[in-house]
Amino acid sequence: MSGRKRVGVLISGRGSNLSALIEACKSDLYPAEIVSVISNRPNAPGLEHARKAGIEATCVDHTGYGTREDFEAALDAALRTASVELVANAGFMRILTEFFVSRWRDRQLNIHPSLLPAFKGLDTHERALEAGVAISGATVHFVRTEMDSGPIIAQAAVPVMVDDTPDSLAARVLEAEHKLYPHALALVASGAVRIEDERVVFDRASAPEAALFWPPLEVPSS
Ligand code: GRF
């Protein structure tokens, strides 16, 4: 496919969402290609996933810069050198300031493991379990300076089970993330979404007939 959007992926660690995006990009029909992977941590396992897939992977180590702005300027320069058009944060654990966010406004995505605006920040799954929600999930959104905020592109919902631990819930949500992120990136890269009044607008497919009910509508017989 010609005219694929050039994507830079920012990571800090494991890189399983990066791997899901790399996998999606293998299809000729996918509207984006990953041209650069940048980690702020030198030993992020995700860097190796990228290299194995033949993608340029570099580290811009935040500890090597005196100020956040210096770090962000280096990040920005690396993305521009690779002629990146869209930035996808995938487990990128640095807070980005106005300096970087404004330069990539409406061209930078993030994935967060909750149904935003609920449970922003860290320890998401612990807090979802504490709150006793029956449904959790994941969100892909455009990045704004306020953490885990910005126009929502797509969400996936998963049930919370009575015996869930933060780890088991995280695993269920992560499985959904791996489908959600490639889907959301494709929506943006193909030009299917636009932002109006800080909300994402696109020609939605018709809604499924049933909502997700959890627990299910059938009451178990006693
Ligand atoms: C994911 O749960 C993502 O939603 C969050 O950080 C985690 C990164 O995991 N922002 P991975 O590095 O993609 O495996």
Side-chain angles (χ1 to χ4, degrees):
M1 185 189 197
S2 60
R4 300 170 108 199
K5 286 277 182 208
R6 296 173 65 83
V7 176
V9 182
L10 302 185
I11 61 166
S12 297
R14 183 176 56 185
S16 71
N17 277 290
L18 165 66
S19 293
L21 293 173
I22 290 173
E23 210 43 49
C25 288
K26 285 183 182 165
S27 161
D28 289 341
L29 299 174
Y30 197 75
E33 61 177 323
I34 300 171
V35 295
S36 170
V37 172
I38 304 175
S39 170
N40 66 308
R41 294 198 184 123
N43 50 3
L47 286 171
E48 219 26 61
H49 303 330
R51 288 183 189 126
K52 278 197 185 122
I55 299 167
E56 187 187 283
T58 52
C59 175
V60 178
D61 187 343
H62 64 276
T63 62
Y65 298 87
T67 66
R68 278 190 190 269
E69 190 165 317
D70 287 348
F71 164 65
E72 290 179 8
L75 206 55
D76 181 58
L79 291 166
R80 287 179 200 280
T81 301
S83 304
V84 162
E85 297 169 282
L86 288 173
V87 178
N89 298 6
F92 182 67
M93 301 303 285
R94 292 300 289 173
I95 290 171
L96 292 164
T97 72
E98 179 70 24
F99 178 87
F100 188 89
V101 172
S102 63
R103 280 168 173 73
W104 292 94
R105 190 179 169 92
D106 300 345
R107 295 184 296 145
Q108 187 182 13
L109 289 63
N110 180 48
I111 187 159
H112 182 74
S114 76
L115 291 173
L116 291 174
F119 311 121
K120 295 177 180 180
L122 297 174
D123 303 324
T124 318
H125 306 296
E126 283 87 337
R127 288 183 291 121
L129 291 176
E130 264 164 39
V133 295
I135 292 173
S136 191
T139 304
V140 177
H141 61 95
F142 285 107
V143 172
R144 297 292 183 260
T145 44
E146 195 194 320
M147 191 176 47
D148 299 327
S149 295
I152 290 170
I153 301 158
Q155 295 186 303
V158 303
V160 178
M161 315 300 277
V162 275
D163 55 354
D164 262 334
T165 61
D167 283 351
S168 64
L169 179 56
R172 192 173 308 113
V173 171
L174 191 65
E175 210 178 311
E177 289 183 50
H178 295 161
K179 298 192 181 99
L180 180 70
Y181 212 169
H183 173 52
L185 179 62
L187 286 172
V188 174
S190 64
V193 311
R194 61 185 192 281
I195 301 171
E196 280 177 14
D197 297 329
E198 282 297 85
R199 287 197 297 187
V200 166
V201 183
F202 60 98
D203 295 329
R204 283 164 205 270
S206 50
E209 280 173 23
L212 166 63
F213 293 93
W214 190 256
L217 286 178
E218 311 88 61
V219 177
S221 50
S222 51

